[in-house]
C-alpha cells in the first residue's frame, strides 16, 4: 500500500511540475484540457484527479509553482550569510520568476483566482523582506533604517512588478525588475 501511495504522490507531483513548466512557457488561457492532457501525455481523467475543472487546475498549478518557488527561495536564504540574506531572497524571487513567459504573466493577471495566488505570495514576500531587514538592522548588518518603511517600499515595487506596471513603464521583465530592486534596496540599507 505504501508503495502505491508513494507512486501516486510522485506521479501527482510530476504532473503538477509538468503543468507548471507548460504554463510558465506558454501561458494557459488558450489551452484546453484536451491540449493539456496531450502535452502531458496523460488522459483528461488523470487531470480530473488533480482538479475538477481547468480553472481549478490552473489555480492548483499556480499554487504548486509558488510553493516550489518558496522552498527554493528559502533554501537560498538559509545558505546565505546574514549580510546577504535580503539580496539572496530578492535575487531568488527574481530567478524563480525568470521562467515565467510574458504570456503566462498576462494570463495570470487576467485570471482572478491565479492572480490572487500571486498577490497573496507577494504579500507574504513583502512580510519576509521586512523580517530580513529587521534582522539585518538588529545584527548591525544594515544601517538603522526604518524596517517597516524599507519593507513597504519593497512591497510597493513587488506589487507594481506583479501587476505588470514596472514592465509597462520600464520594459523590464519581472525577473530583471527584482534584480534591480535587490540592487537598489541593498545598496540603500547597507552600513
Amino acid at each position: 500500500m505504501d508503495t502505491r501511495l508513494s507512486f501516486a504522490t510522485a506521479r501527482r507531483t510530476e504532473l503538477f511540475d509538468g503543468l507548471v513548466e507548460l504554463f510558465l512557457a506558454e501561458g494557459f488561457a488558450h489551452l484546453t484540457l484536451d491540449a493539456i492532457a496531450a502535452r502531458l501525455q496523460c488522459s483528461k481523467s488523470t487531470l480530473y484527479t488533480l482538479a475538477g475543472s481547468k480553472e481549478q487546475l490552473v489555480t492548483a498549478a499556480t499554487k504548486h509553482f509558488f510553493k516550489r518557488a518558496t522552498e527554493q527561495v528559502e533554501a537560498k536564504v538559509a545558505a546565505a550569510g546574514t549580510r546577504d540574506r535580503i539580496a539572496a531572497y530578492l535575487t531568488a524571487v527574481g530567478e524563480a520568476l525568470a521562467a515565467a513567459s510574458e504570456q503566462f504573466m498576462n494570463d495570470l493577471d487576467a485570471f482572478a483566482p491565479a492572480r490572487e495566488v500571486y498577490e497573496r505570495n507577494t504579500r507574504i514576500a513583502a512580510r519576509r523582506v521586512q523580517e530580513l531587514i529587521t534582522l539585518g538592522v538588529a545584527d548591525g548588518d544594515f544601517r538603522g533604517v526604518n524596517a517597516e518603511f524599507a519593507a513597504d517600499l519593497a512591497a510597493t515595487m513587488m506589487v507594481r512588478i506583479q501587476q505588470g506596471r514596472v514592465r509597462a513603464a520600464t520594459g523590464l521583465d519581472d525577473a530583471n525588475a527584482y534584480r534591480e530592486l535587490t540592487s537598489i534596496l541593498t545598496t540603500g540599507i547597507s552600513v
Side-chain angles (χ1 to χ4, degrees), residues 78-161:
T82 53
R83 294 187 63 110
D84 299 323
R85 283 188 220 144
I86 188 77
Y89 184 85
L90 290 171
T91 299
V93 169
E95 289 170 356
L97 289 172
S101 67
E102 187 172 348
Q103 186 61 54
F104 173 77
M105 296 308 292
N106 290 338
D107 289 353
L108 187 72
D109 188 52
F111 183 55
R115 183 179 61 243
E116 173 51 34
V117 172
Y118 191 166
E119 290 170 353
R120 184 177 335 112
N121 279 276
T122 300
R123 290 189 300 271
I124 292 166
R127 282 193 302 272
R128 184 68 171 123
V129 167
Q130 181 176 342
E131 290 171 8
L132 293 171
I133 293 170
T134 300
L135 286 169
V137 170
D139 291 346
D141 293 329
F142 302 140
R143 63 187 182 82
V145 299
N146 182 302
E148 291 80 14
F149 176 78
D152 187 58
L153 176 65
T156 300
M157 286 311 299
M158 293 165 82
V159 168
R160 286 180 47 81
I161 292 167

Side-chain angles (χ1 to χ4, degrees), residues 32-47:
T32 64
L33 279 175
D34 286 325
I36 294 168
R39 298 290 292 280
L40 295 180
Q41 299 178 340
C42 68
S43 66
K44 274 177 46 175
S45 61
T46 299
L47 293 179

